[in-house]
Amino acid sequence: MASDQENSQDANAPDDTSEKEITRGITIMKSIIRDRDKAVTYNVNWNADNQLIGSNAAKLASYIGTLVRMHIPITATRWSNKELGSAKDKIWTEILRSFNIEDTTIRKKYILQLAGKRHRGWRTFLTNKYLKDKEIFFVEYDPEYPVKYAIFITDEEWVAFVAQRRDENFKKVSATNRERASNPTYAYKKGRLGYARLEEKILDETKSDATSLPPHVLWKEARVGKDGTVRDDVQHIYDECETLSQSISTAEDQENRSVLSRALNVPEYPGRVRGKGHGCTPTSLYKNPRRRNPSNQEVMETLQALQAQVLQLQKDNERYRCMEKCSSQLKETSEKASINCQNKFPEGISSCQLYLSSPTYRLVGKGKVHNTSGDLLHHRPLPDGHLKVSVDVVLDKNALLPIPDIVSETTLLRDAIGSFVAWPLDLIYIDDEVFAQGSQQLSQKIGSRQKNKRDLPVTSLPKKGAFVPRYQIPLETLVDSSDMATAGAIRLLDMEEDIFGYSCTETIGKEDLEHIFRHQELGVGVIHTYIRFLYDNFMRGNDQLSNRFRFVSSSLVNKALICREPDSCREYLVKRFMASSTNNLYLWPYNSGCHWLLLAIDPLKEVVYFLNSIDGEWTNYPDMKQLVDTSIKVFRSQRQARVPRTKSSNITWIKVQCPLQRNGIDCGYFVMRFMREIINMNQIEIPITYFDEYKCAHYTRLQLEQIKEELCQYFIEKRLISI
């Protein structure tokens, strides 16, 4: 009987209806990691509302979820907690390594907000799976430790997380949110597609020329089921939006509530645009931020700023009147004198302040005025009433040039730093200290001191004693006596293949030489000529130096080309690195657009020495750093080097505490001296505190003049300039 009863109970027992867990591996996006090690990156696209779209949008979103689980603890309750700052920066850095995203504030904010959503979703998933039953109620027993996610969650974090979720206040909030979300009036039916990618899909299918769709159109499409039917209440809201959009202006839509909010009769959340999805804000949608009334503190700050501007205008006006009075007392220029050589300014080169008179009279910059007879600007005569000025410092970043530079298509003063522009006479104010003289006065001053002096040796630099220039004045005389004195004359300097890895010809013009004579900012032609001087006088015939040091061409790799043709720049660098199988130090003078700095790269040891004469960081040049890192990784891959996985991305960047410049024009001279001293020391490794033999806070003018002397001597000895 007992046996029959047991069989009867077994027969009547209910079937096991518990759901079998779907076995699925942990999402860690291994494909992205593998591609990253191969220096492969993914492109992402953005729509007109600055939302993420395109084929790689879903991949990026999933990767963000993986990074959140790796770097953000599940016990973090507030995403805005400042303690998460370093972890957020790590997430952003990892994303930039694999996805081509602009490193801007707006992009970083969007990605980190999306990461915050992924973190909240991750915590909700753990709560529903391990802390709640099938009816979505909290269980009373101790939940099991999620062994599957042990790589993300420690035992201590799990205990603290369970305690947080079992807090009575949290349970009340959870119950309220669950009830509110359990039965939405207008259910969203597009799953993980999202509004942004839904908009992209609609525009692609309709082949529309529009860049975006109205919020109420997207709202309706997001509530269309798989069968394509639209509920009557959803259609009613859409029709009401169409009616309202005909009667409400864009300004009313922006300043109050959108037509969708009006039709739904619900309040609008601050900073949110209903029906557009994550990332779309009133600022991005309407292209102008919603206005708010300023606070009392802001009103007072604005008032104080206006008062300060009024006082400054009064001072400038008084100074301007004094200048006009002084100007009226000056004699007019003689008819026999050049129109470019004005009596009110000392002849030669003088430091000056640059003013503008419109819309207000104000100081906008500092530089040097070139008051020499017959001076030309870009091989053209100067306009009447103007002088040639080189710009050193800009004080008003929005100031316009009095006469736009048609050669370089420059209109803003800030874009003319280091170049020559025409400036009105009445808006130039000479400083009290005149720190440069014309070439004729300089010749008379030092000519008597040139007798009985030996030539400057090209293989060593004097460390002590007075320095007398011997080659600058003769070279300047040769230039004035040759065809180089005429507009458009140039000289060609052959660059052998061993120097940059390819044969080329460097062009030297009269302005390049004038930059040397007058100690002005240098162009790539002068820098490359000095590299040829170093190669000829130090490395040619010296196997030890020529096999240890190599150069990278600034003409093939610079900021403009990195932005426009990054692939060709990377291919050139990798080809240079592959040219040798031994440890080499590649010297690369890098021009960021208005500043020279030096990179010394050891690709085998994967070390980059960063020498910047203005004490800047390499993080200020993200395009350059990304190019170098990527090139070294490709070089590593091509030579099939094995690097520990933990160090695969650790390319060492070292900031060398090199001498610093004290003005805005010496960067090129510093870079040339850096290269000379590195080769002269014959060391692959550069000390962080720089070489003891050349350690100093700043190079003196004498030390820079020695570099110029070597350049001028090289021009003369190579007979690049002859009558």
Side-chain angles (χ1 to χ4, degrees):
M1 293 293 294
S3 177
D4 293 338
Q5 185 178 359
E6 289 176 2
N7 293 336
S8 176
Q9 289 176 352
D10 292 340
N12 296 329
D15 296 334
D16 184 9
T17 58
S18 60
E19 296 180 1
K20 295 182 179 180
E21 181 180 0
I22 299 175
T23 59
R24 173 185 173 185
I26 302 174
T27 303
I28 58 177
M29 309 297 288
K30 292 183 179 179
S31 61
I32 294 181
I33 305 302
R34 287 194 295 266
D35 287 343
R36 184 191 66 190
D37 293 339
K38 298 177 182 178
V40 176
T41 57
Y42 302 94
N43 294 323
V44 294
N45 300 320
W46 305 84
N47 64 12
D49 298 319
N50 287 320
Q51 294 173 296
L52 189 64
I53 58 173
S55 57
N56 291 321
K59 179 177 292 188
L60 174 56
S62 299
Y63 187 51
I64 291 173
T66 299
L67 293 175
V68 165
R69 292 192 291 273
M70 293 176 58
H71 299 290
I72 306 295
I74 59 175
T75 54
T77 57
R78 293 181 62 85
W79 185 251
S80 58
N81 194 333
K82 293 183 179 179
E83 295 180 356
L84 300 178
S86 59
K88 292 179 182 178
D89 290 339
K90 180 65 176 177
I91 292 174
W92 177 240
T93 301
E94 290 297 319
I95 291 173
L96 291 180
R97 292 175 62 189
S98 297
F99 292 86
N100 297 323
I101 303 177
E102 302 93 334
D103 190 0
T104 60
T105 302
I106 187 173
R107 295 288 185 252
K108 183 177 181 180
K109 180 180 179 182
Y110 178 94
I111 294 297
L112 292 183
Q113 284 180 345
L114 188 57
K117 292 181 63 177
R118 294 290 177 268
H119 183 249
R120 291 191 295 274
W122 168 233
R123 284 160 51 88
T124 300
F125 165 77
L126 293 174
T127 302
N128 294 336
K129 182 174 179 62
Y130 294 97
L131 303 184
K132 293 184 179 181
D133 56 20
K134 296 180 181 180
E135 286 74 28
I136 316 299
F137 292 106
F138 283 91
V139 298
E140 298 298 331
Y141 56 85
D142 291 335
E144 61 176 332
Y145 172 73
V147 179
K148 181 178 180 180
Y149 304 103
I151 62 174
F152 302 132
I153 306 171
T154 64
D155 294 336
E156 294 78 7
E157 287 178 348
W158 179 249
V159 172
F161 175 73
V162 172
Q164 289 176 355
R165 292 290 168 158
R166 283 185 167 178
D167 182 77
E168 292 300 325
N169 291 330
F170 175 79
K171 289 183 178 181
K172 292 179 181 179
V173 174
S174 178
T176 301
N177 292 337
R178 183 173 66 251
E179 181 180 358
R180 183 178 60 182
S182 60
N183 189 24
T185 306
Y186 309 100
Y188 177 85
K189 297 185 178 182
K190 295 302 179 183
R192 295 185 60 188
L193 186 62
Y195 282 103
R197 283 186 283 168
L198 173 62
E199 182 180 55
E200 179 189 22
K201 179 180 178 182
I202 296 173
L203 293 175
D204 289 342
E205 290 177 350
T206 59
K207 298 182 180 180
S208 173
D209 295 333
T211 57
S212 63
L213 297 174
H216 66 276
V217 175
L218 281 177
W219 180 87
K220 172 193 171 184
E221 293 297 329
R223 282 149 184 83
V224 176
K226 293 182 179 180
D227 57 358
T229 59
V230 182
R231 284 172 31 186
D232 292 339
D233 54 350
V234 172
Q235 185 65 43
H236 173 72
I237 295 296
Y238 174 80
D239 294 338
E240 187 173 350
C241 289
E242 286 289 298
T243 303
L244 287 172
S245 63
Q246 302 298 324
S247 58
I248 298 178
S249 64
T250 303
E252 291 177 316
D253 185 20
Q254 175 183 354
E255 297 296 337
N256 300 294
R257 291 188 300 165
S258 65
V259 293
L260 181 57
S261 299
R262 293 169 184 267
L264 292 172
N265 194 23
V266 292
E268 193 71 276
Y269 293 96
R272 167 181 169 181
V273 178
R274 189 179 297 274
K276 293 293 283 187
H278 170 71
C280 184
T281 63
T283 301
S284 63
L285 181 64
Y286 301 108
K287 309 307 178 187
N288 288 305
R290 293 177 182 266
R291 297 182 179 180
R292 63 177 180 84
N293 294 328
S295 63
N296 292 336
Q297 182 180 358
E298 291 173 336
V299 172
M300 293 302 299
E301 291 176 353
T302 303
L303 180 60
Q304 292 175 0
L306 290 174
Q307 290 174 345
Q309 290 181 14
V310 171
L311 291 175
Q312 185 63 39
L313 289 174
Q314 291 175 347
K315 293 179 181 180
D316 291 343
N317 186 44
E318 182 178 356
R319 184 176 184 179
Y320 179 56
R321 292 181 181 276
C322 292
M323 290 175 60
E324 281 188 329
K325 183 177 180 180
C326 294
S327 179
S328 62
Q329 296 174 357
L330 294 173
K331 297 181 180 180
E332 295 294 332
T333 305
S334 172
E335 294 181 357
K336 297 182 180 180
S338 168
I339 61 171
N340 305 129
C341 190
Q342 304 296 330
N343 288 338
K344 64 178 290 187
F345 298 102
E347 292 187 11
I349 307 172
S350 307
S351 59
C352 64
Q353 298 177 358
L354 305 175
Y355 285 78
L356 287 179
S357 58
S358 178
T360 59
Y361 189 84
R362 66 200 188 280
L363 176 65
V364 295
K366 297 182 179 181
K368 296 186 288 293
V369 57
H370 298 252
N371 186 31
T372 56
S373 299
D375 207 352
L376 301 176
L377 179 64
H378 304 307
H379 311 299
R380 298 182 180 181
L382 284 164
D384 292 341
H386 290 71
L387 279 179
K388 183 178 179 180
V389 168
S390 59
V391 183
D392 294 336
V393 179
V394 173
L395 303 178
D396 185 350
K397 64 179 182 179
N398 296 320
L400 297 173
L401 291 174
I403 299 180
D405 189 343
I406 59 175
V407 175
S408 61
E409 299 182 355
T410 302
T411 59
L412 292 173
L413 179 62
R414 67 181 183 220
D415 295 331
I417 293 180
S419 60
F420 294 106
V421 296
W423 208 272
L425 294 171
D426 57 345
L427 297 178
I428 302 174
Y429 184 79
I430 298 296
D431 288 345
D432 294 334
E433 179 184 2
V434 178
F435 61 88
Q437 300 292 332
S439 60
Q440 182 178 1
Q441 292 177 328
L442 182 60
S443 300
Q444 295 174 353
K445 183 177 180 180
I446 68 173
S448 60
R449 296 161 56 186
Q450 294 183 6
K451 297 180 180 180
N452 301 323
K453 295 293 182 179
R454 292 180 298 174
D455 291 348
L456 176 72
V458 297
T459 56
S460 63
L461 291 177
K463 296 184 178 180
K464 296 181 180 179
F467 173 75
V468 179
R470 292 183 55 84
Y471 297 100
Q472 296 184 43
I473 300 304
L475 179 61
E476 190 169 3
T477 302
L478 284 174
V479 170
D480 292 338
S481 303
S482 68
D483 63 324
M484 290 291 286
T486 62
I490 60 173
R491 289 293 186 270
L492 301 179
L493 178 64
D494 292 332
M495 307 295 286
E496 301 176 19
E497 183 177 356
D498 290 341
I499 300 177
F500 292 132
Y502 68 100
S503 300
C504 61
T505 302
E506 196 62 56
T507 302
I508 305 297
K510 181 184 178 183
E511 286 193 356
D512 293 316
L513 298 173
E514 288 181 343
H515 291 168
I516 301 174
F517 300 148
R518 300 178 181 180
H519 198 85
Q520 297 168 352
E521 287 193 350
L522 302 177
V524 66
V526 176
I527 301 293
H528 280 186
T529 301
Y530 192 76
I531 288 177
R532 173 65 189 272
F533 159 78
L534 293 175
Y535 180 80
D536 286 344
N537 290 276
F538 289 87
M539 301 168 63
R540 187 186 298 277
N542 188 328
D543 294 339
Q544 185 182 24
L545 290 179
S546 61
N547 291 330
R548 180 167 289 183
F549 299 100
R550 298 176 183 270
F551 300 99
V552 174
S553 171
S554 302
S555 298
L556 289 189
V557 192
N558 52 53
K559 180 176 177 58
L561 287 176
I562 292 175
C563 296
R564 190 170 64 247
E565 302 175 12
D567 293 340
S568 63
C569 294
R570 183 178 64 251
E571 291 175 2
Y572 169 68
L573 282 180
V574 174
K575 184 178 180 180
R576 284 299 282 151
F577 296 161
M578 293 293 293
S580 176
S581 59
T582 60
N583 279 99
N584 293 113
L585 196 64
Y586 288 82
L587 303 180
W588 173 22
Y590 174 72
N591 193 312
S592 65
C594 59
H595 174 64
W596 286 101
L597 56 88
L598 181 66
L599 297 180
I601 307 173
D602 186 343
L604 280 178
K605 293 185 178 180
E606 300 188 353
V607 176
V608 182
Y609 298 98
F610 180 79
L611 292 85
N612 192 353
S613 58
I614 60 173
D615 198 26
E617 303 291 338
W618 60 73
T619 53
N620 297 333
Y621 310 93
D623 296 331
M624 173 269 292
K625 183 180 184 302
Q626 182 179 7
L627 173 68
V628 174
D629 289 346
T630 304
S631 300
I632 292 178
K633 291 177 183 177
V634 175
F635 169 66
R636 177 201 304 162
S637 175
Q638 290 191 7
R639 66 187 180 90
Q640 298 179 350
R642 295 184 178 181
V643 179
R645 183 173 299 179
T646 57
K647 298 182 179 180
S648 61
S649 60
N650 293 342
I651 296 173
T652 304
W653 283 73
I654 298 176
K655 179 182 177 181
V656 180
Q657 299 174 16
C658 54
L660 303 179
Q661 65 188 80
R662 291 178 286 189
N663 56 32
I665 61 175
D666 280 349
C667 54
Y669 303 97
F670 273 62
V671 164
M672 291 190 293
R673 188 164 182 104
F674 290 157
M675 291 190 293
R676 191 193 199 285
E677 292 171 348
I678 291 171
I679 295 175
N680 194 45
M681 294 304 299
N682 194 14
Q683 295 181 18
I684 291 291
E685 297 182 359
I686 303 176
I688 297 180
T689 57
Y690 205 53
F691 303 110
D692 291 336
E693 290 81 351
Y694 299 107
K695 188 180 297 184
C696 58
H698 314 280
Y699 284 142
T700 64
R701 185 61 178 266
L702 169 63
Q703 291 173 302
L704 301 185
E705 287 291 338
Q706 292 168 345
I707 299 296
K708 293 166 60 177
E709 277 290 282
E710 289 181 329
L711 268 171
C712 294
Q713 181 181 0
Y714 187 70
F715 276 110
I716 294 175
E717 290 182 347
K718 289 296 180 181
R719 300 185 181 275
L720 294 175
I721 311 296
S722 58
I723 301 177

